[in-house]
Amino acid sequence: MDFMIDLRRLRVLRAVAHYGTVTAAARALHFTPSAASQQIRQLARDLDVELLEPRGRGVRLTPAAESLLAHADAIQARWEQAERDLRADHGAPAGPLRVTGFPTAVSVLLAPLAARLGERHPRLSVRITEAGVEQSFDLLFEGAVDLAVVESTPYNPPLGDARFDQRPLLDDPFDLVVPRGHPLAGRERIDLAEAAREAWIAPVPESPCRPHVMSACGAAGFAPDVVHHARDWNATTHLVAHGLGVALVPRLARPAPDLPVSRVRCAGDPHRKLLTCTRGGDHARPAVAAALRELRELAATAVA
């Protein structure tokens, strides 16, 4: 082959694989769909292979494209490492550090993280964006953020995905939250089956926490009678406070202190796992490494 592969075209192919459609990839890259399609077609001509094939109303990657992607991810990782090496500042954390996480992580982990880093590394500027799990991975892929705190879900990229470096941060237990005058209030620990006949408040169906709640109840031998759905843990605990049901709430979620509710620990310690996530190889960058150290310290006491 007597040509150089255009890295911009590889970037478009990677985006199509990540977002699933040419239209979504174009939107993320600020291209028009026709311009993104043209980049893919030109790359296919350069390589003399088919990269996309029709599937229903959309397209899918060919085996040749899947093979190329493994190399494209490696090329992208090496290029980002070259940029980090060129911008290295003698190991001192400096410059902007963009972090993201879901609402509870922002409140309990990322806000104190930003304050600590500001005190210890004055040349580092932390910028926080609240985002859900799926959006956090998109922002990392796009290079819009450097570090994310996410929940572990079955829909996350596999741990072996070279584009991302996902590492355990903490286990966040679920407590049963009941009205203060409830018969279960004040107990040190209960078997969740004791709440089997209660009215329940559960996360909305699209919440990443809903499977944890439903599986915890299933493991205790019952399907909860869900009478209310809430997206926000503060809304959930207010519903409980008004006697409208009971709920499983992560310990990191902090309800208003004056609410008349009680937390009760559950036998078996149902929990969700929180992860830190960076782009592949980025964890060694001084600013990111400093943030990860602080997050581990914060996580050690967060659920106490």
Side-chain angles (χ1 to χ4, degrees), residues 233-275:
W233 296 118
N234 188 51
T236 298
T237 50
H238 273 81
L239 290 169
V240 174
H242 282 82
L244 300 177
V246 302
L248 282 175
V249 176
R251 200 165 297 163
L252 281 185
R254 311 285 169 80
D258 57 343
L259 281 181
V261 298
S262 296
R263 283 182 180 263
V264 187
R265 298 192 177 203
C266 300
D269 293 320
H271 62 274
R272 60 178 176 175
K273 288 187 175 292
L274 271 56
L275 312 172

Side-chain angles (χ1 to χ4, degrees), residues 3 20-21 50 57 60 86 96 99 109 117 123 147 159 191-192 198 213 281:
F3 62 89
T21 68
E50 292 296 326
R57 296 183 178 179
R60 66 179 176 186
L86 287 170
V99 298
L109 296 170
L117 290 174
R123 297 179 60 199
L147 169 65
L159 291 178
D191 187 323
L192 199 54
E198 301 285 341
V213 171

Side-chain angles (χ1 to χ4, degrees), residues 290-304:
L292 290 172
R293 286 193 298 270
E294 296 292 347
L295 276 175
R296 286 191 289 269
E297 289 185 13
L298 288 164
T301 59
V303 297

Side-chain angles (χ1 to χ4, degrees), residues 15-183:
V16 172
H18 180 80
Y19 293 103
T21 68
V22 173
T23 300
R27 187 183 304 117
L29 297 175
H30 307 291
F31 285 10
T32 64
S34 60
S37 295
Q38 175 60 29
Q39 292 288 323
I40 296 293
R41 286 194 297 270
Q42 186 58 54
L43 180 61
R45 284 194 291 269
D46 290 343
L47 297 171
D48 195 24
V49 295
E50 292 296 326
L51 296 175
L52 299 178
E53 58 188 16
R55 183 178 64 177
R57 296 183 178 179
V59 295
R60 66 179 176 186
L61 273 66
T62 65
E66 295 285 0
S67 176
L68 179 60
L69 272 176
H71 298 288
D73 290 339
I75 290 169
Q76 182 68 24
R78 289 296 299 271
W79 179 248
E80 290 180 356
Q81 183 61 55
E83 288 186 316
R84 288 191 292 271
D85 292 344
L86 287 170
R87 297 174 184 176
D89 189 20
H90 307 294
L97 177 71
R98 303 156 303 173
V99 298
T100 188
F102 55 96
T104 302
V106 170
S107 301
V108 181
L109 296 170
L110 298 185
L113 169 72
R116 284 192 183 195
L117 290 174
E119 293 174 358
R120 300 178 184 182
H121 304 286
R123 297 179 60 199
L124 190 60
S125 173
V126 181
R127 302 171 185 178
I128 299 173
T129 298
E130 181 183 309
V133 176
E134 182 178 357
Q135 186 185 5
S136 291
F137 281 103
D138 288 346
L139 291 171
L140 281 166
F141 177 79
E142 295 162 15
V145 300
D146 307 298
L147 169 65
V149 174
V150 301
E151 298 176 55
S152 175
T153 79
Y155 311 107
N156 290 9
L159 291 178
D161 189 326
R163 299 173 301 167
F164 304 108
D165 188 336
Q166 303 176 66
R167 302 189 177 204
L169 180 61
L170 62 85
D171 290 348
D172 186 14
F174 283 87
D175 298 320
L176 184 71
V177 177
V178 299
R180 192 163 290 165
H182 192 279

